[in-house]
Amino acid sequence: MSGTRIPGETRGAAITVIVDGAPVPAFAGETLATAMIAADRTAFRHDTRRVARGLFCNMGSCSECLVTRVADGRRIRACLTEAADGLEVRTDG
Amino acid sequence: MADILDVAIVGGGPAGQAAALHLAGRGLDIAVIDEQPRPGGQILRQPPASFTVPGWLAGRGYARLKHQLARFEALDDIRWLGGCSVLDLAPTMDGLSLLAATPGGISRIRARHVLVATGCQDLAVPLPGWTLPGVMSAGGIQAFVKSQRFIPGERILLAGTHPLQLIVAEQVVRAGGEVAAILFAQPRAGMIATAMRHPLIALRRAPDLAAAASAMATLRRAGVPVRFGAPLHAISGMDRVTGAVTGMGEIACDTVGLCYGFVPQSALPRMAGARMHKAGPAGGWACAHDHWLRSSVVGLSVAGEALGVAGAAAAAAGGAIAGIGIARDLGLFAPEQAERMARPHRHAFDTHRAFAAMLDSIADPTGHLPRPDAETLLCRCEDVSFETICGAIEQGGSANAIKLATRCGMGACQGRNCEPALLRLLGDVGRGDDPGFTARFPARPVAIGDLAESG
């Protein structure tokens, strides 16, 4: 685990997203970015040298957190995308 | 939606809200567009509706802003377009045209008046190791805490020159997180001396100074070191952050927050062709404006940080001025009436901007920025190294020419991260008058397929 959900507060329903084929627990309302970092998945994409890259600005500006949505192959910003049950993404892009 | 809106406001933060509050209830067709699902802006980035957060942002400094947000959320004649990214802004015959990526696809929005209130972003500061996962902007860490109620690391180091990092650290500590240290690159004596040169300005914003003092006390009680004259040199780790090399020696951490100041999010006025000028010492471009915060493009007004970063209180005052100005241009207020309504907001605007100018001097990163090494990526999107860019600078040429030669600034962030660093390097060799990159479509990343479907 990397990072901590602040205890003593109510989050949305427990859901599961799928990152690189593995189930990652999340709560409704969380962004994909939160779910990924909480599960210690700090690599969001890989650069031209195949080096892992992480989220940087967390406000939609920097595009460092672009992950690939498996359903349609589109690159989406994980910091702006709400986690949805069964949403599947890859970080090899 | 109407064929053409009366007013489109881009940004639901303090400036956008204040403008909307002055325009609402007058029979106008108004939309407020924001990338976040809920209004608030970064300063009041709200938790998701599915969370229950008792005592959210209870600090005194947030009270007025929260009051305005509640009034905004109670408006029933404003269309809220959350989760929408504006990709393009261009003048037309009868106003302006925006292209937005909405949850339902790409949408063209036309409006007689547009207010750009898009806020600011943290200055991106290239240094060795800054592309390792775990390095974030301080504002990014703060947004996790404020909105997602999540501390994005086990041991967080904050480093930079801007006092906001004290507030971020305090919020992390209060939420139960661990802060390894807070490092100010500049010496403390200089910061205090700058504040002492402007005692009246400081006094008028005493609550903000009290908030910083209270943060210092909280951090001291928690045993978090706050050091001055302690620069960050490099961030270390193999495939993620494991530590930092600093003026205080090696510090173990898994997350680093960079806090060297803020630059305007001004891509949209630049795309629309508005006249711009250099923003504060952190860099970036601010939109030139008149008495009613109208830009040089007819129908385009700007409020908040896109005028130059000055904080939420100045943004709210500016939003009110811009909103009243648009109502005046729409013929809803007589000129004298508009002037009377705007007067208290102009006073607040000037006061808060004076404070912001003082804060700019205190937080000035000039001379305190870390040095990249040859392999450090200046352009994070296109993986262009410091060495490559230095080589291109030696060949001569403008920022645009260097972009063409190296791909620096051609990636998904559209140069937001690399442009300030590139312009500083050009400034170092006497080319400080470079106008920067020509702003290109799209302002935010979008899939070609989505654009094609929009026709």
Side-chain angles (χ1 to χ4, degrees):
Chain A
M1 204 189 79
S2 168
T4 310
R5 292 178 171 97
I6 298 173
E9 298 174 352
T10 313
R11 306 177 90 84
I15 55 174
T16 304
V17 296
I18 299 159
V19 181
D20 295 331
V24 166
F27 295 92
E30 289 185 350
T31 62
L32 205 45
T34 297
M36 286 174 66
I37 295 174
D40 207 18
R41 292 182 168 271
T42 54
F44 283 69
R45 67 180 186 95
H46 290 78
D47 66 16
T48 52
R49 310 156 305 166
R50 310 306 302 158
V51 174
R53 299 284 284 269
L55 168 145
F56 184 68
C57 83
N58 194 24
M59 54 183 277
S61 288
C62 77
S63 296
E64 282 284 11
C65 68
L66 283 170
V67 294
T68 307
R69 185 164 55 200
V70 171
D72 58 6
R74 298 267 163 93
R75 311 286 311 278
I76 53 172
R77 287 170 286 176
C79 74
L80 289 178
T81 304
E82 190 175 330
D85 201 35
L87 174 65
E88 186 172 1
V89 298
R90 289 196 325 263
T91 67
D92 54 359
Chain B
M1 201 180 304
D3 185 41
I4 180 160
L5 293 165
D6 293 304
V7 188
I9 298 172
V10 187
Q17 293 159 28
L21 283 162
H22 280 87
L23 289 159
R26 304 182 194 283
L28 300 174
D29 206 341
I30 303 168
V32 181
I33 308 164
D34 198 291
E35 284 193 313
Q36 292 296 323
R38 304 182 72 185
Q42 296 301 326
I43 187 80
L44 294 184
R45 192 150 138 192
Q46 299 200 66
S50 53
F51 287 22
T52 309
V53 183
W56 179 69
L57 297 185
R60 253 181 73 196
Y62 294 110
R64 284 181 80 126
L65 295 167
K66 284 169 74 176
H67 178 68
Q68 177 178 277
L69 174 60
R71 287 175 57 219
F72 173 78
E73 288 190 308
L75 294 175
D76 56 9
D77 63 339
I78 301 269
R79 205 185 319 266
W80 169 252
L81 301 176
C84 296
S85 300
V86 176
L87 311 174
D88 193 19
L89 175 65
T92 61
M93 295 291 284
D94 51 2
L96 293 113
S97 170
L98 302 99
L99 199 65
T102 77
I106 302 290
S107 175
R108 167 92 43 205
I109 298 169
R110 298 195 311 131
R112 283 181 230 288
H113 291 265
V114 170
L115 175 67
V116 167
T118 42
C120 61
Q121 67 172 89
D122 297 70
L123 173 66
V125 175
L127 75 153
W130 82 308
T131 48
L132 285 166
V135 182
M136 301 177 194
S137 65
I141 292 173
Q142 192 183 30
F144 272 125
V145 177
K146 278 182 181 173
S147 171
Q148 290 281 297
R149 311 303 293 159
F150 176 63
I151 304 159
E154 301 292 332
R155 192 172 147 83
I156 300 173
L157 173 70
L158 287 155
T161 56
H162 200 286
L164 182 82
Q165 57 181 345
L166 293 169
I167 307 294
V168 178
E170 183 196 30
Q171 287 169 343
V172 168
V173 166
R174 281 187 185 276
E178 185 184 351
V179 175
I182 299 145
L183 306 182
F184 283 91
Q186 72 272 47
R188 186 177 195 166
M191 296 172 78
I192 293 171
T194 304
M196 297 294 280
R197 273 198 295 277
H198 309 278
L200 277 178
I201 293 170
L203 207 62
R204 284 196 202 106
R205 284 279 296 260
D208 297 87
L209 299 177
S214 151
M216 287 283 276
T218 302
L219 296 168
R220 198 175 301 120
R221 277 197 302 276
V224 178
V226 181
R227 297 284 182 267
F228 297 85
L232 171 65
H233 299 308
I235 299 161
S236 39
M238 287 300 290
D239 55 2
R240 59 192 299 168
V241 174
T242 53
V245 183
T246 79
M248 293 174 62
E250 295 255 347
I251 296 177
C253 56
D254 68 351
T255 304
V256 176
L258 303 176
C259 197
Y260 292 86
F262 302 89
V263 295
Q265 290 264 19
S266 49
L268 294 178
R270 288 175 82 184
M271 287 174 91
R275 196 155 51 79
M276 309 295 291
H277 58 82
K278 284 189 175 177
W285 300 93
C287 191
H289 59 87
D290 71 4
H291 188 61
W292 289 106
L293 308 190
R294 293 173 298 201
S295 77
S296 63
V297 172
V298 174
L300 176 61
S301 303
V302 177
E305 316 294 33
L307 297 174
V309 177
I321 296 167
I324 295 165
I326 291 169
R328 175 186 178 276
D329 288 346
L330 285 166
L332 296 170
F333 303 144
E336 316 78 55
Q337 183 192 9
E339 200 51 63
R340 206 164 43 245
M341 288 174 71
R343 197 167 299 135
H345 303 293
R346 291 192 194 287
H347 178 73
F349 187 67
D350 293 342
T351 303
H352 295 306
R353 299 243 292 183
F355 181 80
M358 184 187 81
L359 197 56
D360 269 353
S361 321
I362 291 173
D364 189 348
T366 310
H368 298 297
L369 291 167
R371 293 180 61 83
D373 63 20
E375 289 86 45
T376 303
L377 298 184
L378 235 67
C379 171
R380 299 176 65 116
C381 300
E382 295 290 325
D383 302 339
V384 189
S385 71
F386 180 64
E387 187 176 37
T388 301
I389 288 168
C390 289
I393 288 173
E394 275 174 30
Q395 304 291 312
S398 63
N400 275 333
I402 292 163
K403 178 178 176 178
L404 277 175
T406 66
R407 299 194 60 80
C408 174
M410 250 183 223
C413 92
Q414 291 285 24
R416 280 183 184 81
N417 286 331
C418 57
E419 190 189 36
L422 174 60
L423 293 183
R424 279 197 307 275
L425 292 172
L426 286 171
D428 289 346
V429 295
R431 282 138 68 185
D433 56 352
D434 193 284
F437 297 138
T438 303
R440 296 278 181 213
F441 173 84
R444 294 298 209 214
V446 62
I448 301 294
D450 285 338
L451 286 176
E453 281 159 25
S454 80

